[in-house]
Amino acid sequence: MLHVFDDTEALVEAALDAFSGLAHAAVEKRGRFTVALAGGSTPRALYARLAQRPELPWDRVELCFGDERAVPPDHADSNARMVHETLTHEPFVDPAHVHRMRAELPPAEAAADYEQTLRGLFADAELPRFDLVLLGLGTDGHTASLFPHTKALGERTAWVVDNHVDKLGVDRITLTYPVLNAADRVLFLVTGADKANALRDTLEGTAAIEDVPARGVRPSSGNLMFLVDRAAASALS
Ligand code: 6PG
């Protein structure tokens, strides 16, 4: 559930091992590995290490996104751009296996478009069951683009929605709780002292999901893991 690492390097190595192990197991069992990548800055180091592992079964890996900013893929804020810079620029990653959210479209259209992409990938299942969902944690307790007191928190049927974040004055596209909680495994990567209070509020206490959206991530598989560094863990009891 919770693994505390002395430093970011140790955390990234553990995340790399987890990704690699899960990828091999999923390909072995089901012939492919479906993963929803986290955005933001924390996972950059992991993606850069994955870029040094051409031997992983990349031709069987379907790289999806947990959320995206409502910007074109060449924009500085784009998660697709960040993942391209760190990982998917590598020749061993086939672009046909990289499924970015087309956030250059109007947000609601981008969300509907991505839901169709996922329905194609998951053969119109009841819910897409990702083998792995990687998530980060915001200082306000958001995860993916499920921000406190935003509309997306209440979505129970759509797989992907657009979400206006008043506090930031931006639009986002995000997977919804039903999709995150259908995942076989969810891995949070959390580093830095600035995340300490959000991590404490996520793991301890009785805060409402509206206030700390990361508390709403409870995969029915039960496979929920937090890989955190000492600084992020510094407010835990
Ligand atoms: C995004 C992410 C978001 C992120 C947190 C933490 O698009 O920004 O998906 O949920 O994980 O905001 O971001 P950092 O890793 O940059 O602290």
Side-chain angles (χ1 to χ4, degrees):
M1 173 66 166
L2 172 71
H3 297 262
V4 183
F5 296 89
D6 285 340
D7 54 41
T8 307
E9 290 65 42
L11 184 154
V12 169
E13 283 310 303
L16 183 66
D17 288 348
F19 187 103
S20 160
L22 290 167
H24 285 296
V27 168
E28 185 73 27
K29 226 162 34 180
R30 286 182 294 278
R32 72 175 188 176
F33 178 56
T34 55
V35 53
L37 298 174
S41 57
T42 304
R44 290 186 75 103
L46 169 59
Y47 301 156
R49 290 285 285 113
L50 284 168
Q52 298 166 346
R53 303 289 293 272
E55 78 283 4
L56 289 178
W58 291 105
D59 60 335
R60 299 304 185 92
V61 176
E62 299 296 348
L63 291 172
C64 299
F65 287 76
D67 74 324
E68 186 56 277
R69 292 79 180 283
V71 295
D74 58 352
H75 191 283
D77 292 347
S78 165
N79 286 333
R81 175 173 162 171
M82 180 272 289
V83 170
H84 182 73
E85 285 169 352
T86 52
L87 174 57
T88 56
H89 66 279
E90 288 294 340
F92 56 74
V93 178
D94 179 348
H97 291 267
V98 182
H99 310 284
R100 68 175 185 86
M101 294 177 171
R102 295 201 302 157
E104 63 275 23
L105 298 171
E109 217 177 298
D113 175 76
Y114 203 63
E115 177 146 342
Q116 286 315 307
T117 297
L118 294 183
R119 286 186 181 282
L121 266 178
F122 290 91
D124 241 344
E126 184 68 23
L127 274 171
R129 186 176 167 78
F130 280 98
D131 295 307
L132 173 63
V133 170
L134 288 174
L135 291 173
L137 180 66
T139 54
D140 59 357
H142 82 261
T143 191
S145 282
L146 299 168
F147 283 80
H149 309 291
T150 58
K151 188 166 60 75
L153 299 184
E155 182 58 49
R156 292 290 174 271
T157 48
W159 295 7
V160 191
V161 292
D162 59 302
N163 197 28
H164 182 73
V165 187
D166 268 344
K167 182 178 63 176
L168 304 176
V170 298
D171 286 303
R172 294 283 188 97
I173 295 99
T174 186
L175 299 185
T176 57
Y177 281 129
V179 174
L180 300 183
N181 289 329
D184 185 54
R185 182 175 296 265
V186 175
L187 201 52
F188 275 88
L189 306 177
V190 189
T191 61
D194 61 334
K195 304 293 177 76
N197 290 340
L199 185 64
R200 177 202 57 214
D201 295 345
T202 301
L203 294 178
E204 300 175 354
T206 58
I209 291 175
E210 278 289 312
D211 295 321
V212 184
R215 289 174 69 86
V217 179
R218 297 194 195 100
S220 46
S221 71
N223 286 322
L224 173 63
M225 200 183 289
F226 286 77
L227 303 186
V228 311
D229 67 4
R230 285 223 175 288
S234 57
L236 296 178
S237 58

